[in-house]
Amino acid sequence: GNSVTQMEGPVTLSEEAFLTINCTYTATGYPSLFWYVQYPGEGLQLLLKATKADDKGSNKGFEATYRKETTSFHLEKGSVQVSDSAVYFCALTSNQAGTALIFGKGTTLSVSS
Amino acid sequence: NAGVMQNPRHLVRRRGQEARLRCSPMKGHSHVYWYRQLPEEGLKFMVYLQKENIIDESGMPKERFSAEFPKEGPSILRIQQVVRGDSAAYFCASHAPEGRETQYFGPGTRLLVL
């Protein structure tokens, strides 16, 4: 079945450091891929998405490229801020109507000044 | 345009009581998902509903859990005779008819069973 594996945290960085959070997936067909972010005590917010191979999703300085050959969708940011501290979830959904999201376990990012 | 709304945000129940969680989707959205997030885990799908119709409940426990999305009013996730293992954050998400792959999440209800 479909699944998502993301690197375990916590990831601890200093402000302005480079961030990579790895995400790989297993899926039949051509899923859509997502990164969601969850700030403490809040729900999930869509950070970025990509719906086909080689698409790059980007938002707020974060980027991820849909790599079908390596079944990956790694999240990157060139210079993190303290306000980026949160839990990041990689997820996929098949493109069939009404298919639920399948999430990774989440990676906690902590950025210090 | 208000986002997805859930209430209550926090709910405390004793073992054996009932828990009712409500979700109002974004305006114009007629489809709702419920997910459960156990501590230190990612979100797991529970049920997918359209107005007056359960489309997929394959992720829902067979007993004590039920969900509905009536023609009028919010979607309700109901847990009867709660047990400590039901303690979790329950999230609702909705999507627009034309944007099936993009789901918008509510702030969640954090259920604590004593």
Side-chain angles (χ1 to χ4, degrees):
Chain A
N2 296 347
S3 65
V4 173
T5 303
Q6 58 182 109
M7 64 187 286
E8 292 191 20
V11 174
T12 304
L13 295 173
S14 298
E15 208 166 21
E16 299 184 4
F18 184 85
L19 168 71
T20 300
I21 300 179
N22 290 338
C23 171
T24 56
Y25 68 90
T26 301
T28 54
Y30 302 93
S32 293
L33 302 173
F34 304 82
W35 278 100
Y36 280 85
V37 58
Q38 183 180 31
Y39 297 101
E42 298 185 10
L44 276 70
Q45 300 175 25
L46 178 64
L47 182 59
L48 53 84
K49 69 176 183 180
T51 58
K52 61 183 187 296
D54 299 325
D55 269 2
K56 177 186 282 188
S58 61
N59 186 24
K60 301 181 182 178
F62 290 89
E63 292 183 340
T65 301
Y66 189 143
R67 302 280 189 206
K68 189 165 176 59
E69 64 277 12
T70 54
T71 62
S72 65
F73 193 55
H74 304 322
L75 182 68
E76 296 182 336
K77 187 175 185 183
S79 176
V80 293
Q81 305 299 313
V82 172
S83 57
D84 293 328
S85 298
V87 182
Y88 292 81
F89 291 94
C90 185
L92 69 80
T93 185
S94 80
N95 287 317
Q96 289 181 303
T99 306
L101 286 162
I102 295 171
F103 286 88
K105 291 191 173 183
T107 302
T108 300
L109 170 66
S110 178
V111 181
S112 57
S113 57
Chain B
N1 187 8
V4 178
M5 295 194 293
Q6 290 186 248
N7 67 81
R9 295 288 304 273
H10 299 274
L11 182 61
V12 179
R13 285 286 178 266
R14 297 192 180 282
R15 282 179 295 169
Q17 291 184 319
E18 178 179 288
R20 280 185 178 235
L21 288 60
R22 296 175 200 79
C23 168
S24 297
M26 287 179 71
K27 188 176 182 181
H29 290 192
S30 57
H31 295 73
V32 162
Y33 293 85
W34 284 94
Y35 293 85
R36 177 166 63 177
Q37 184 181 30
L38 293 169
E40 308 299 324
E41 294 284 329
L43 280 73
K44 302 286 188 200
F45 164 73
M46 299 183 75
V47 62
Y48 175 46
L49 308 106
Q50 191 179 18
K51 287 275 187 183
E52 300 185 282
N53 187 26
I54 296 175
I55 300 173
D56 182 358
E57 56 182 348
S58 58
M60 194 105 93
K62 294 289 185 285
E63 297 181 356
R64 303 187 298 107
F65 286 73
S66 63
E68 62 177 6
F69 191 11
K71 187 176 180 180
E72 302 292 336
S75 175
I76 306 285
L77 179 68
R78 183 179 175 205
I79 312 172
Q80 295 178 289
Q81 300 176 325
V82 295
V83 300
R84 289 212 174 110
D86 297 332
S87 296
Y90 292 82
F91 291 97
C92 166
S94 70
H95 69 72
E98 70 280 5
R100 284 191 290 259
E101 78 281 354
T102 302
Q103 297 177 28
Y104 297 90
F105 282 78
T109 294
R110 281 150 182 86
L111 172 65
L112 175 63
V113 180
L114 300 177

